Amino acid sequence: MSISPIVVIGPPRSGFSLLIAMTQRIMHQRQITFIQTPKQQIIIRLMPLFSYVLNKSYATVFAKHGLADELLFNGEFQLLVGGPKWLVPDKPWMGVRKYIGCRGYGDFLLVTQHPKLLFEYYGVHHSHETPQRWINEPDCINRRRFATIRHPLDMLNSAVHSFNALTSEYLQRFCSEVDENTLRREMALNKLTDLRVCQGLMTHQLKYWREYLHCRKHYAELRWESIISDPVNSVQWVGHQLGLEIGTEEARMIWAPMDHRNLLVYHKHNYRKDHGILGDWLSHLHLKHIEMAYTLGLVDVAKALGYDLDAWYATRPHSAFQDELDYYLKHGKVAPIQDTVLAGFCFNKSNIDVSAFNFKSFPGNKWTYIERSTFTEDAIVLDVLKRAEAGCQQINAIVLTLDASLMSDAESLFHVVEPACHVLVCDDIAHDLLTKQC
């Protein structure tokens, strides 16, 4: 049995990954696949080549400067379409964000843009942005659309405790013996005592939620709180949305491998050990954060989503963590992070409004740009940007040719783009990736 691809949207930390994982586990259990067009088959076939060629070009820049061993580029981003993705406003393109860092030099966000056909690499088209765009996209009008939501203040709490993939790579490579929970606590204190960070995280949430509320009725909606409190019923709900009826025991079996576990491969710190619990924000946020949420309008958005602050006012939460927060906030101080390299990498450079911060950016050309940078050597960043633009220009030309072709079978389509793909081949590995049959 095969079904059409689906769309999943939701802001980070909203249960987004859990919904995708449930869908994939249900389909695996029932031996269901996504329908693949011939063009999708070629995209899947060529994606390893495209990814390898671009990644090698980036690595070459760092090797040229003697920094090959210091480069941090997590495996979650090494697939061409790996990393946060979205449909680019007003263009038939998709954007992909890559986090690249180097110990001792800082980091930067590289954005590459491609024909939106590359979204077809996935059976689950997933994005943290532009919920309205997915409603208007002609290719998605008849597709099942899912959205995940979570209490906005709980998302703030989760965000400040979360290590991004770049930080995870740094910890895996250079700090494998440190206590993860201690670092998370230190990081959360730092972010929650820097009210610019808190406001930036809330403002970014607001942008997403306000757009989502206008198109909410077009999505089948699953709450993170429902997944945590009743995972079996949540699995059954997802199955029902896919046209499947799943019994209680089967749902338990599907949920078990996902239950409070890291669902990513290379990002080893995506799951916060011993957490994923309801109401965690109550013992970590401060009254100043609640007041800020009121002032910015985030509480109003929370109410529109079906959440309230009753638990906050009913319990008047108090914890040792909040005592520390109170000390720093009363004295107008930002709690320090001892490892300054870690502090740089773990700063939320995406999913945040950074207008209060002075990051560098570089416009690039047609297909690429540097969104935010703290990298101390601009020449290295610009060299990566130049190579990314050149590589994306070649790859995107191939994808556009594929998209425009009238050939109706996969092998014929492959032969149309094969000569241009051979131009990409830079070594024996690339040659093998091109000639390997799927």
Side-chain angles (χ1 to χ4, degrees):
M1 176 181 174
S2 297
I3 64 172
S4 298
I6 66 173
V7 174
V8 175
I9 60 109
R13 326 309 304 176
S14 67
F16 180 83
S17 297
L18 284 170
L19 176 53
I20 293 172
M22 279 192 280
T23 302
Q24 293 169 334
R25 286 281 304 167
I26 289 168
M27 293 181 64
H28 177 75
Q29 173 69 19
R30 292 295 183 93
Q31 297 184 326
I32 298 170
T33 59
F34 286 113
I35 296 169
Q36 289 183 359
T37 67
K39 289 179 182 179
Q40 284 176 294
Q41 293 173 34
I42 300 306
I43 290 297
I44 293 169
R45 178 174 179 173
L46 293 177
M47 190 62 69
L49 171 68
F50 293 162
S51 304
Y52 176 78
V53 169
L54 277 180
N55 294 341
K56 183 172 182 179
S57 73
Y58 306 153
T60 298
V61 174
F62 291 91
K64 182 173 67 174
H65 291 272
L67 297 173
D69 292 337
E70 308 300 321
L71 172 62
L72 296 165
F73 189 35
N74 190 267
E76 302 296 340
F77 303 116
Q78 292 189 24
L79 190 71
L80 175 65
V81 290
K85 314 171 253 300
W86 62 95
L87 289 170
V88 177
D90 304 318
K91 293 180 180 178
W93 300 349
M94 68 179 295
V96 187
R97 187 178 287 118
K98 308 290 185 183
Y99 302 69
I100 300 176
C102 186
R103 188 171 63 154
Y105 289 80
D107 59 88
F108 57 93
L109 299 184
L110 168 67
V111 174
T112 65
Q113 300 177 113
H114 311 277
K116 63 185 180 65
L117 179 64
L118 286 185
F119 247 119
E120 301 300 312
Y121 177 79
Y122 297 97
V124 180
H125 297 11
H126 50 287
S127 176
H128 294 312
E129 301 184 33
T130 60
Q132 181 64 52
R133 176 72 185 276
W134 289 100
I135 304 303
N136 301 333
E137 196 63 27
D139 296 343
C140 299
I141 288 175
N142 296 318
R143 291 183 177 177
R144 295 179 178 91
R145 290 185 291 264
F146 296 84
T148 52
I149 67 171
R150 182 177 182 177
H151 196 306
L153 289 171
D154 204 19
M155 284 175 52
L156 170 67
N157 177 59
S158 181
V160 299
H161 282 90
S162 299
F163 289 128
N164 59 36
L166 179 62
T167 305
S168 177
E169 189 71 12
Y170 171 68
L171 293 176
Q172 291 175 60
R173 293 266 302 280
F174 301 112
C175 307
S176 59
E177 301 302 318
V178 299
D179 181 72
E180 180 181 329
N181 287 334
T182 299
L183 286 182
R184 285 189 191 272
R185 189 178 193 281
E186 184 180 48
M187 179 180 64
L189 272 172
N190 172 265
K191 293 180 180 181
L192 288 172
T193 54
D194 189 336
L195 295 181
R196 298 175 305 163
V197 171
C198 299
Q199 181 166 331
L201 291 169
M202 289 188 194
T203 303
H204 187 273
Q205 268 202 62
L206 278 166
K207 180 183 177 183
Y208 175 89
W209 289 128
R210 285 171 175 160
E211 181 178 338
Y212 174 70
L213 285 170
H214 283 292
C215 58
R216 183 181 188 181
K217 65 181 181 181
H218 297 285
Y219 288 93
E221 190 175 87
L222 182 60
R223 295 177 184 267
W224 178 86
E225 291 83 1
S226 296
I227 300 174
I228 299 303
S229 64
D230 193 353
V232 170
N233 187 61
S234 297
V235 170
Q236 292 175 310
W237 179 88
V238 174
H240 182 74
Q241 298 299 318
L242 297 174
L244 304 169
E245 296 307 317
I246 298 175
T248 301
E249 289 307 313
E250 184 180 11
R252 286 197 182 103
M253 182 174 63
I254 288 169
W255 171 252
M258 299 181 286
D259 188 3
H260 290 77
R261 288 176 171 83
N262 184 8
L263 300 177
L264 299 180
V265 177
Y266 302 101
H267 185 347
K268 303 296 186 184
H269 300 83
N270 189 52
Y271 168 63
R272 184 179 165 208
K273 187 178 179 183
D274 299 326
H275 285 269
I277 56 177
L278 298 176
D280 194 51
W281 63 280
L282 293 168
S283 58
H284 287 93
L285 300 189
H286 187 276
L287 181 60
K288 282 189 177 294
H289 304 126
I290 307 301
E291 293 171 345
M292 180 183 290
Y294 271 110
T295 301
L296 293 175
L298 189 60
V299 171
D300 292 333
V301 167
K303 290 178 180 177
L305 290 168
Y307 297 102
D308 56 45
L309 271 70
D310 291 352
W312 174 269
Y313 292 112
T315 60
R316 294 288 178 178
H318 182 87
S319 68
F321 182 91
Q322 287 165 318
D323 285 342
E324 286 193 70
L325 273 181
D326 189 60
Y327 169 81
Y328 283 107
L329 290 170
K330 280 183 176 177
H331 290 82
K333 296 180 178 180
V334 175
I337 296 179
Q338 299 305 316
D339 184 338
T340 56
V341 175
L342 174 71
F345 290 152
C346 74
F347 186 94
N348 297 68
K349 294 185 186 65
S350 64
N351 309 313
I352 184 173
D353 178 342
V354 293
S355 54
F357 299 90
N358 189 30
F359 291 117
K360 294 178 285 186
S361 62
F362 302 95
N365 203 333
K366 180 177 181 179
W367 298 113
T368 61
Y369 59 91
I370 300 297
E371 187 173 8
R372 294 161 194 160
S373 174
T374 62
F375 216 81
T376 56
E377 298 292 333
D378 291 350
I380 294 177
V381 178
L382 291 171
D383 198 356
V384 171
L385 182 60
K386 178 181 177 181
R387 291 168 188 257
E389 180 67 31
C392 288
Q393 177 65 39
Q394 288 181 288
I395 290 168
N396 291 348
I398 293 169
V399 178
L400 289 170
T401 299
L402 178 64
D403 200 16
S405 177
L406 299 178
M407 296 293 182
S408 59
D409 68 277
E411 280 307 308
S412 296
L413 284 167
F414 177 73
H415 291 311
V416 168
V417 298
E418 187 177 11
C421 290
H422 274 288
V423 176
L424 292 176
V425 172
C426 54
D427 57 22
D428 289 343
I429 295 175
H431 180 269
D432 289 343
L433 289 172
L434 175 59
T435 57
K436 182 177 67 175
Q437 297 297 311
C438 291

